[in-house]
């Protein structure tokens, strides 16, 4: 039996694959994160699913998104 | 930001849709469970993904699977 945590967030401001790569890189660097899936809605709010070994703090996710240059809704 | 826990387990002995329904019903009845997805491999070990609001104890999952008449690997 294995358990992972799925965190669903909304990120504003991404417009292309480079944005997706930047957000993915920052989120993947968070401790315990094993997968990041971005459903790019160019120029609109994009849903992002983060899979991790343990629950994530909103502050940590927000920091990572801000670091990449985007806004966590 | 919303978080859910995904628990992956393997259940032995299911052979048809009735087995799937029985396992799904028992697992869905566990506190906090919001979704159960069974990938039926008839007569073999079948992967089951349980989505819940909080982590699940193995003992609770095992009880539910046993109650339905199958075996948790």
């Amino acid at each position: 039996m294995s358990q992972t945590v799925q965190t669903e967030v909304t990120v504003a401001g991404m417009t292309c694959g480079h944005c997706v790569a930047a957000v993915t890189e920052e989120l993947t660097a968070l401790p315990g994160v094993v997968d990041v899936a971005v459903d790019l809605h160019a120029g609109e709010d994009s849903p992002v699913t983060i899979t991790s070994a343990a629950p994530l703090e909103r502050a940590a996710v927000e920091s990572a998104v801000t670091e990449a240059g985007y806004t966590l809704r």
Side-chain angles (χ1 to χ4, degrees), chain A:
Chain A
M1 177 167 134
S2 69
Q3 298 196 43
T4 55
V5 178
Q6 302 272 323
T7 303
E8 307 277 347
V9 297
T10 302
V11 174
M14 293 188 288
T15 57
C16 71
H18 295 108
C19 306
V20 171
V23 167
T24 300
E25 184 181 350
E26 291 294 339
L27 289 173
T28 304
L30 293 175
V33 170
V34 295
D35 189 62
V36 174
V38 177
D39 178 13
L40 178 65
H41 293 200
E44 299 174 17
D45 288 353
S46 297
V48 177
T49 303
I50 309 160
T51 303
S52 57
L56 300 175
E57 296 293 333
R58 182 181 164 94
V61 174
E62 187 154 28
S63 247
V65 170
T66 302
E67 185 66 30
Y70 305 94
T71 304
L72 185 68
R73 288 290 187 212

Coordinates of all heavy atoms in Angstrom, one line a residue, chain A residues 7-14 23 27 41-48 50 58-59 61-66 69-73:
Chain A
T7 N -2.1 17.8 -4.6 CA -2.4 19.1 -4.3 C -2.8 19.8 -5.6 O -2.1 19.8 -6.6 CB -1.2 19.9 -3.7 OG1 -0.8 19.2 -2.5 CG2 -1.6 21.3 -3.3
E8 N -4.0 20.4 -5.6 CA -4.6 21.1 -6.8 C -4.5 22.6 -6.5 O -5.0 23.1 -5.5 CB -6.0 20.7 -7.0 CG -6.3 19.3 -7.1 CD -6.1 18.7 -8.5 OE1 -5.9 19.4 -9.4 OE2 -6.0 17.4 -8.6
V9 N -3.8 23.3 -7.4 CA -3.7 24.7 -7.3 C -4.0 25.4 -8.6 O -4.1 24.7 -9.7 CB -2.3 25.2 -6.8 CG1 -2.0 24.7 -5.4 CG2 -1.2 24.8 -7.8
T10 N -4.2 26.7 -8.6 CA -4.4 27.4 -9.8 C -3.3 28.5 -9.9 O -3.1 29.2 -9.0 CB -5.8 28.1 -9.8 OG1 -6.8 27.1 -9.6 CG2 -6.1 28.9 -11.1
V11 N -2.7 28.5 -11.1 CA -1.6 29.5 -11.3 C -2.0 30.4 -12.5 O -2.4 30.0 -13.5 CB -0.3 28.7 -11.7 CG1 0.8 29.7 -12.0 CG2 0.2 27.9 -10.5
A12 N -1.8 31.7 -12.2 CA -2.2 32.7 -13.2 C -1.0 33.2 -13.9 O 0.1 33.3 -13.3 CB -2.9 33.9 -12.5
G13 N -1.1 33.6 -15.2 CA -0.1 34.3 -15.9 C 0.8 33.4 -16.9 O 1.6 34.0 -17.6
M14 N 0.6 32.1 -16.9 CA 1.4 31.3 -17.8 C 0.9 31.4 -19.2 O -0.3 31.4 -19.4 CB 1.5 29.9 -17.3 CG 2.2 29.6 -16.0 SD 2.4 27.9 -15.6 CE 0.7 27.4 -15.2
V23 N 7.6 26.9 -13.8 CA 6.7 26.6 -12.7 C 7.0 25.1 -12.3 O 7.1 24.8 -11.1 CB 5.2 26.8 -13.0 CG1 4.3 26.1 -12.0 CG2 5.0 28.3 -13.2
L27 N 8.4 24.0 -8.5 CA 7.5 23.1 -7.7 C 8.2 21.8 -7.4 O 8.1 21.2 -6.3 CB 6.1 22.9 -8.3 CG 5.3 24.2 -8.3 CD1 4.0 23.9 -9.1 CD2 4.9 24.6 -6.9
H41 N -3.5 26.8 -19.7 CA -4.6 27.5 -20.4 C -3.9 28.9 -20.7 O -3.9 29.7 -19.8 CB -5.8 27.7 -19.5 CG -6.5 26.4 -19.2 ND1 -7.8 26.4 -18.7 CD2 -6.2 25.2 -19.2 CE1 -8.2 25.2 -18.5 NE2 -7.2 24.4 -18.8
A42 N -3.3 29.0 -21.8 CA -2.5 30.1 -22.1 C -3.1 31.5 -21.8 O -4.2 31.8 -22.4 CB -2.0 30.1 -23.6
G43 N -2.5 32.3 -21.0 CA -3.0 33.6 -20.7 C -4.2 33.6 -19.7 O -4.6 34.7 -19.3
E44 N -4.6 32.5 -19.3 CA -5.7 32.4 -18.3 C -5.2 31.7 -17.0 O -4.0 31.4 -16.9 CB -6.9 31.6 -18.9 CG -7.4 32.3 -20.1 CD -8.5 31.5 -20.8 OE1 -9.0 30.6 -20.2 OE2 -8.8 31.8 -22.0
D45 N -6.1 31.3 -16.1 CA -5.7 30.5 -15.0 C -5.5 29.1 -15.4 O -6.4 28.5 -16.1 CB -6.8 30.6 -13.9 CG -6.9 32.0 -13.2 OD1 -6.0 32.8 -13.5 OD2 -7.8 32.2 -12.5
S46 N -4.4 28.5 -15.0 CA -4.1 27.1 -15.3 C -4.1 26.2 -14.1 O -3.4 26.6 -13.1 CB -2.7 27.0 -16.0 OG -2.7 27.8 -17.2
P47 N -4.8 25.1 -14.2 CA -4.8 24.2 -13.0 C -3.5 23.4 -13.0 O -3.0 23.0 -14.1 CB -5.9 23.2 -13.3 CG -6.5 23.6 -14.6 CD -5.7 24.7 -15.2
V48 N -2.9 23.3 -11.8 CA -1.7 22.5 -11.6 C -1.9 21.5 -10.6 O -2.4 21.8 -9.5 CB -0.5 23.5 -11.2 CG1 0.8 22.7 -11.0 CG2 -0.3 24.6 -12.3
I50 N 0.0 18.8 -8.1 CA 1.3 18.5 -7.5 C 1.2 17.2 -6.8 O 0.3 17.1 -5.9 CB 1.8 19.6 -6.6 CG1 1.8 21.0 -7.3 CG2 3.3 19.3 -6.1 CD1 1.7 22.1 -6.3
R58 N 0.7 25.8 1.9 CA 0.4 26.7 0.9 C 1.5 27.8 0.7 O 1.9 28.1 -0.4 CB -0.9 27.5 1.2 CG -1.3 28.5 0.1 CD -2.5 29.3 0.3 NE -2.5 30.4 -0.6 CZ -3.1 30.4 -1.8 NH1 -3.7 29.4 -2.2 NH2 -3.0 31.5 -2.6
A59 N 2.2 28.2 1.8 CA 3.2 29.2 1.8 C 4.4 28.7 0.9 O 5.0 29.5 0.1 CB 3.7 29.5 3.2
V61 N 4.2 26.4 -1.6 CA 3.8 26.4 -3.0 C 3.7 27.8 -3.5 O 4.2 28.0 -4.7 CB 2.4 25.7 -3.0 CG1 1.8 25.8 -4.5 CG2 2.5 24.3 -2.6
E62 N 3.2 28.7 -2.7 CA 3.1 30.1 -3.2 C 4.5 30.7 -3.5 O 4.7 31.4 -4.5 CB 2.4 31.0 -2.1 CG 2.1 32.4 -2.6 CD 0.9 33.0 -1.9 OE1 0.7 32.6 -0.7 OE2 0.2 33.8 -2.5
S63 N 5.5 30.4 -2.6 CA 6.9 30.9 -2.8 C 7.4 30.3 -4.1 O 8.1 31.1 -4.8 CB 7.7 30.2 -1.7 OG 8.2 31.1 -0.9
A64 N 7.2 29.1 -4.4 CA 7.8 28.5 -5.6 C 7.2 29.1 -6.8 O 7.9 29.4 -7.8 CB 7.5 26.9 -5.5
V65 N 5.9 29.3 -6.8 CA 5.2 29.9 -8.0 C 5.7 31.3 -8.2 O 5.9 31.7 -9.3 CB 3.7 29.8 -7.8 CG1 2.9 30.6 -8.8 CG2 3.2 28.3 -7.8
T66 N 5.8 32.0 -7.1 CA 6.3 33.4 -7.2 C 7.7 33.5 -7.7 O 8.0 34.3 -8.5 CB 6.2 34.1 -5.8 OG1 4.9 34.0 -5.3 CG2 6.6 35.5 -5.8
G69 N 7.9 33.4 -11.2 CA 7.4 34.6 -11.9 C 5.9 34.6 -12.1 O 5.4 35.4 -12.9
Y70 N 5.2 33.8 -11.4 CA 3.7 33.7 -11.7 C 2.9 33.9 -10.3 O 3.6 34.1 -9.3 CB 3.3 32.4 -12.4 CG 4.1 32.3 -13.7 CD1 5.4 31.6 -13.7 CD2 3.8 33.0 -14.8 CE1 6.1 31.6 -14.8 CE2 4.5 33.0 -15.9 CZ 5.7 32.4 -16.0 OH 6.5 32.4 -17.1
T71 N 1.6 33.8 -10.4 CA 0.8 34.1 -9.3 C 0.0 32.9 -8.9 O -0.7 32.4 -9.8 CB -0.1 35.3 -9.6 OG1 0.7 36.4 -10.0 CG2 -1.0 35.7 -8.4
L72 N 0.0 32.6 -7.6 CA -0.9 31.5 -7.1 C -2.2 32.1 -6.8 O -2.3 33.1 -6.0 CB -0.2 30.9 -5.9 CG -1.0 29.7 -5.3 CD1 -0.9 28.5 -6.2 CD2 -0.4 29.3 -3.9
R73 N -3.3 31.6 -7.3 CA -4.6 32.1 -7.0 C -5.0 31.7 -5.6 O -4.7 30.6 -5.2 CB -5.6 31.6 -8.0 CG -5.5 32.2 -9.4 CD -5.9 33.6 -9.3 NE -6.0 34.2 -10.7 CZ -5.7 35.4 -11.0 NH1 -5.4 36.3 -10.1 NH2 -5.8 35.8 -12.3

